[in-house]
Amino acid sequence: MKVCIGLSGGVDSSVAALLLKQQGHDVFALFMQNWHDTTGTLHGDCEWEEDRFVAELVARKIGIPFYFVDLSEEYRKRVVDYMFDEYSKGRTPNPDVLCNREIKFDAFLKTAKKLGAEKVATGHYCRKDSIEGTDGSAIHRIFAGSDPNKDQSYFLCQLTQEQLADALFPIGDITKPEVRRIAKEADLPSADKKDSQGICFVGKVDLPAFLQQKLKPATGRIVEVYDSFFESCEQYRQNCAILESLLREGSGALQTVTSYISEDKGSAEGSSVRNDWDTDRLAALSDEDWLRISRPLDYSSIRFETESYRSGKKHIRKTRYKENPWGKIIGEHDGAQFYTIGQRKGLNIGGHKDSVFVIGTDIEENIIYVGEGHRHKGLSRSVIRLLPEEVHWIRKDLAMEVGEIRRYKVRVRYRQPLQEATLVLRENGLFIIFDTPQRGITPGQFAVWYDENLEMLGSSVI
């Protein structure tokens, strides 16, 4: 079979190419350039040239033809412009998911087929197989990679059956250390090359500097939200009351905040903090109440009034903000669109015992809301709503019907350990209610669900 390998210059795609060649396929390499502008990048303007040079050396070492294609115009229109638009609306997009859907398995795939390829292979850590459907047609399935520390199925969550039909993932069944070993034994030029970081095909960037190409800085307030706000917030108290009513009888107290979870460790600390939801009660909950408990908290009621006072021996008249029991203005930022939920770096806020996190942004008023500590109530949410038109089923034959309730494993960002959750489909959306409250759920990222066998079934932008 004639296979095109997307050769990036990294060790993963290099080993994928080697394995395909050893399996007897007619393999050729295609390197794509997707970005020219170096504004905001941290490694200068030669990074892609170095990657191409290494990729050519790898192709020569393996003994396969090497081609080059410039897809930068397609990438700008279909990935980068989308990024800028999402950030301008206060959402945090995932360009890697878009790159796979719009570029690697679309524009790149079309180029590969023009060069005679029957299939396109990549160095993703995920597994794929095909089964026969009830109508006799092929159903393509995608599973989490065998290496739990490198599973990259999340980035492929928007692929269609048509795209998966043409895809191969040669290293999905092996671990990263094994990939490194194979590369060293084969003396591949990429064997010791570090994994790439940053935005897909752009590289590691200073994100604010990168975004300021199109999004203008604007000074705004940073407001710290105190715990007393939640005691007085009707929305928060109402949500807690509804969630409490959904617990299984005798299951214990409602948990609204989870302990800190280190995603690098691959295991969930504080996983004992769980809610046992009653399926019958979930089914009986009204559409309006589902909407109510899925909405992010609104902090706009925290307002600050000014007052005049006299200061010093000369009693100079000055103005200050009156004290607010719910919060305090503690600093300034250069644009709410540059910050994301759960962020703690880059805030330049001192004077706190614990870390300070972004818990909300108001793009129209240009305000960032922050909270102190990993267990701040504003960091955790138990329910999210996915818009019906945004829900994408990889397995359309398993798509849910309105009124249906299912249990799945869900992650809301890459490298997050899979979380136990219940999915409830209603006319006004697909609702995900997590057993364990989730930290830092970020609009613009993707929620992805898997079954017990770790088959990835569907996804949606949050």
Side-chain angles (χ1 to χ4, degrees):
M1 181 165 57
K2 191 163 187 176
V3 180
C4 170
I5 175 70
L7 202 59
S8 67
V11 66
D12 299 328
S13 61
S14 300
V15 170
L18 177 66
L19 294 177
L20 288 168
K21 181 70 182 295
Q22 292 175 344
Q23 291 165 9
H25 296 293
D26 179 8
V27 185
F28 69 91
L30 183 59
F31 179 95
M32 59 178 164
Q33 181 185 2
N34 283 0
W35 197 245
H36 293 281
D37 191 349
T38 59
T39 304
T41 58
L42 300 181
H43 296 300
D45 57 357
C46 297
E47 188 173 9
W48 77 267
E49 292 179 355
E50 180 185 338
D51 290 340
R52 176 179 175 173
F53 177 70
V54 174
E56 282 193 81
L57 291 178
V58 169
R60 195 177 306 159
K61 180 73 176 179
I62 296 173
I64 58 177
F66 180 88
Y67 299 93
F68 170 85
V69 61
D70 186 344
L71 296 175
S72 55
E73 185 62 22
E74 288 287 326
Y75 187 81
R76 181 188 63 78
K77 289 179 181 177
R78 299 165 71 173
V79 178
V80 177
D81 285 352
Y82 170 85
M83 274 182 60
F84 284 125
D85 184 58
E86 286 289 279
Y87 273 107
S88 72
K89 295 173 181 175
R91 296 192 287 263
T92 305
N94 192 309
D96 295 285
V97 172
L98 267 294
C99 181
N100 284 311
R101 186 183 76 186
E102 301 292 331
I103 304 300
K104 286 182 185 174
F105 293 96
D106 192 299
F108 180 85
L109 175 61
K110 290 173 182 175
T111 301
K113 287 199 168 185
K114 287 179 182 177
L115 293 171
E118 298 171 67
K119 302 282 185 181
V120 164
T122 67
H124 284 100
Y125 287 87
C126 62
R127 297 168 293 149
K128 174 203 161 185
D129 72 8
S130 300
I131 59 174
E132 186 176 311
T134 55
D135 60 355
S137 62
I139 295 176
H140 307 289
R141 305 189 298 177
I142 186 165
F143 297 81
S146 295
D147 187 339
N149 294 317
K150 285 295 293 181
D151 170 32
Q152 293 174 319
S153 57
Y154 179 89
F155 294 131
L156 305 170
C157 68
Q158 287 279 293
L159 296 192
T160 64
Q161 283 290 306
E162 291 73 24
Q163 289 171 313
L164 283 173
D166 294 321
L168 295 175
F169 307 107
I171 64 171
D173 286 315
I174 56 182
T175 64
K176 184 73 177 193
E178 179 71 0
V179 166
R180 289 282 185 195
R181 185 193 64 78
I182 293 171
K184 285 184 177 181
E185 286 186 358
D187 196 26
L188 297 182
S190 58
D192 296 316
K193 197 169 185 289
K194 291 182 179 180
D195 291 346
S196 60
Q197 293 182 325
I199 300 173
C200 181
F201 289 100
V202 175
K204 198 165 185 179
V205 300
D206 176 348
L207 190 57
F210 182 78
L211 294 175
Q212 284 173 21
Q213 294 177 73
K214 288 193 176 183
L215 306 180
K216 294 181 179 180
T219 302
R221 300 171 179 173
I222 299 177
V223 175
E224 180 176 358
V225 179
Y226 297 153
D227 204 54
S228 56
F229 168 80
F230 300 93
E231 297 169 6
S232 305
C233 177
E234 183 179 351
Q235 181 191 6
Y236 184 78
R237 288 188 283 109
Q238 192 176 54
N239 285 355
C240 289
I242 295 173
L243 288 170
E244 196 166 21
S245 73
L246 299 174
L247 291 172
R248 195 177 303 279
E249 196 73 37
S251 63
L254 174 70
Q255 303 294 329
T256 58
V257 177
T258 190
S259 300
Y260 175 57
I261 298 174
S262 173
E263 292 171 9
D264 291 333
K265 293 181 180 179
S267 62
E269 298 174 18
S271 57
S272 60
V273 179
R274 307 178 73 86
N275 292 305
D276 186 9
W277 308 114
D278 187 306
T279 304
D280 291 337
R281 293 179 178 182
L282 296 179
L285 193 66
S286 69
D287 288 356
E288 292 73 21
D289 278 344
W290 276 113
L291 276 178
R292 191 170 286 116
I293 61 177
S294 66
R295 289 191 188 104
L297 284 177
D298 180 4
Y299 301 105
S300 62
S301 59
I302 305 176
R303 297 285 181 176
F304 299 93
E305 298 178 357
T306 58
E307 63 181 1
S308 297
Y309 69 102
R310 294 188 180 276
S311 175
K313 294 180 180 179
K314 295 184 179 181
H315 301 288
I316 298 173
R317 184 181 292 275
K318 293 184 178 180
T319 301
R320 64 188 174 194
Y321 287 107
K322 293 181 181 179
E323 285 193 12
N324 188 315
W326 294 347
K328 181 181 181 180
I329 298 172
I330 60 171
E332 292 185 338
H333 60 80
D334 55 3
Q337 69 269 26
F338 301 133
Y339 297 85
T340 186
I341 307 298
Q343 179 178 339
R344 68 175 178 177
K345 294 181 180 179
L347 292 172
N348 299 318
I349 297 171
H352 290 75
K353 180 181 177 181
D354 295 319
S355 299
V356 174
F357 298 88
V358 176
I359 61 170
T361 60
D362 185 331
I363 298 300
E364 290 186 7
E365 297 294 329
N366 197 27
I367 298 173
I368 292 175
Y369 296 99
V370 300
E372 181 180 4
H374 289 284
R375 291 184 58 80
H376 190 277
K377 291 183 175 68
L379 263 183
S380 295
R381 289 174 62 187
S382 293
V383 185
I384 58 174
R385 175 194 177 217
L386 308 174
L387 298 177
E389 62 271 19
E390 297 283 1
V391 174
H392 169 70
W393 286 92
I394 299 169
R395 290 286 304 273
K396 289 186 177 181
D397 58 312
L398 297 179
M400 294 173 65
E401 296 183 359
V402 173
E404 198 171 353
I405 297 176
R406 291 187 194 166
R407 293 282 295 174
Y408 284 128
K409 297 178 183 293
V410 180
R411 59 167 51 108
V412 293
R413 56 186 166 272
Y414 175 54
R415 288 189 63 80
Q416 181 193 28
L418 288 170
Q419 305 292 302
E420 298 291 339
T422 303
L423 274 64
V424 181
L425 183 60
R426 295 297 181 93
E427 291 283 0
N428 56 352
L430 177 60
F431 296 90
I432 301 179
I433 181 166
F434 295 93
D435 292 3
T436 301
Q438 300 296 298
R439 294 176 80 255
I441 289 178
T442 308
Q445 292 289 295
F446 285 84
V448 182
W449 47 95
Y450 300 72
D451 67 11
E452 289 296 322
N453 298 315
L454 300 186
E455 179 185 357
M456 183 168 62
L457 303 178
S459 68
S460 175
V461 68
I462 300 172

